Amino acid sequence: MPRASHQDLRRAFRQLLASPACYHTASVFDPMSARIAADLGFEVGILGGSVASLQVLAAPDFALITLSEFAEQATRIGRVAQLPVIADADHGYGNALNVMRTVTELERAGIAALTIEDTLLPAQFGRKSTDLISIAEGVGKIRAALEARVDPELSIIARTNAALIPVEEVIARTVAYQNAGADALCMVGIRDFEHLEQIAKHLSVPLMLVTYGNPQLHDDARLAQLGVRIAVDGHGAYFAAIKATYDCLREQRRITSSASDLSATELTHTYTVPGDYIVWAREFMDVNE
């Protein structure tokens, strides 16, 4: 059976960005899930940073995973993927020079596109993990990412959090990243279509939204009309896998207590021990999350 090359998949992703439709991502986290997503007809997949942290470290999404660990997982997926895969590259694992290294590693892994966000990660002493870097630093990271890529078909997507800042600043940030040459813009925290319209009218590049299934944004035709080409509903497949593993092993041990019937969210919270990390952050970083 003929297989698409990494460049073929990158071209396919650019075709999605250039199309008039909105496509929903499949959450892929290992080679098997990537093959399943392609076989089911998904046009695009995404390797989430939070999912990689869970899969590789069984740790919460506190920017603990390293570039090498993330790139290894991306390489395993890229080795077999027959759909374009977006990598959630967080903040690029450091400053603009680290972003260049991140692009190099993920391009070699076979990723079709990657997002670089303007969140200040990992959380700094005395500051929260939701702080954003300056627009100037964010622009520098996007310019560095564009400089680092070798294959011009690789898409560099600038990401910001529209829930944390006033709409005027969202517009300023996204316009600046667009002008810096980003191939697309990713936003998390869009509340509804009115919020999206306020921002989208200032932009001309394709948009990607992390919606987490927000019911206020359940209209693909309207999303497409406003320039949204990629929608990320969340990572339900991975959490379903956690739940299935727990239920299978519980059945094997013949545990029938209703008290053990935990949801995927409860299981994740239990086995990633986020409470320990929060205590350590307060003790060693003076951060109150």
Side-chain angles (χ1 to χ4, degrees), residues 98-182:
N98 297 113
V99 167
M100 297 182 79
R101 172 76 190 282
T102 297
V103 170
T104 297
E105 296 298 329
L106 293 180
E107 182 174 346
R108 288 167 61 89
I111 290 299
L114 58 94
T115 60
I116 299 292
E117 65 185 80
D118 54 9
T119 312
L120 181 64
L121 295 173
Q124 306 296 297
F125 182 85
R127 301 182 67 171
K128 293 186 175 182
S129 59
T130 52
D131 291 337
L132 303 184
I133 60 177
S134 69
I135 295 177
E137 186 175 357
V139 166
K141 286 190 171 188
I142 298 307
R143 292 178 57 235
L146 295 168
E147 175 67 23
R149 72 179 173 190
V150 175
D151 185 355
E153 300 291 352
L154 176 70
S155 294
I156 305 297
I157 304 173
R159 170 174 160 165
T160 195
N161 193 322
L164 299 178
I165 51 180
V167 67
E168 294 79 13
E169 186 176 346
V170 178
I171 294 168
R173 284 178 178 269
T174 51
V175 168
Y177 302 154
Q178 173 178 272
N179 292 341

Side-chain angles (χ1 to χ4, degrees), residues 49-86:
S50 60
V51 168
S53 184
L54 289 169
Q55 179 80 348
V56 176
L57 302 176
D61 189 21
F62 288 175
L64 299 171
I65 193 168
T66 65
L67 170 59
S68 58
E69 290 168 328
F70 186 79
E72 285 173 5
Q73 194 67 3
T75 299
R76 295 184 185 104
I77 293 170
R79 193 176 291 128
V80 305
Q82 288 298 284
L83 80 170
V85 175
I86 305 166

Side-chain angles (χ1 to χ4, degrees), residues 7 24 33 36 79 110 132 142 148 153 161 185 202 211 216 218 221 226 228 238 250 255 277 289:
Q7 193 169 61
H24 292 261
S33 61
I36 291 171
R79 193 176 291 128
L132 303 184
I142 298 307
E153 300 291 352
N161 193 322
L185 297 167
H202 298 275
T211 68
Q216 298 300 316
H218 277 185
L226 291 170
V228 177
Y238 184 72
R250 189 182 66 168
I255 297 172
Y277 291 97
E289 292 288 3

Side-chain angles (χ1 to χ4, degrees), residues 240-263:
I242 291 175
K243 174 64 173 170
T245 300
Y246 177 80
D247 288 345
C248 180
L249 293 177
R250 189 182 66 168
E251 182 178 347
Q252 184 180 338
R253 292 293 293 176
R254 297 182 174 85
I255 297 172
T256 58
S257 170
S258 60
S260 298
D261 190 18
L262 302 175
S263 68

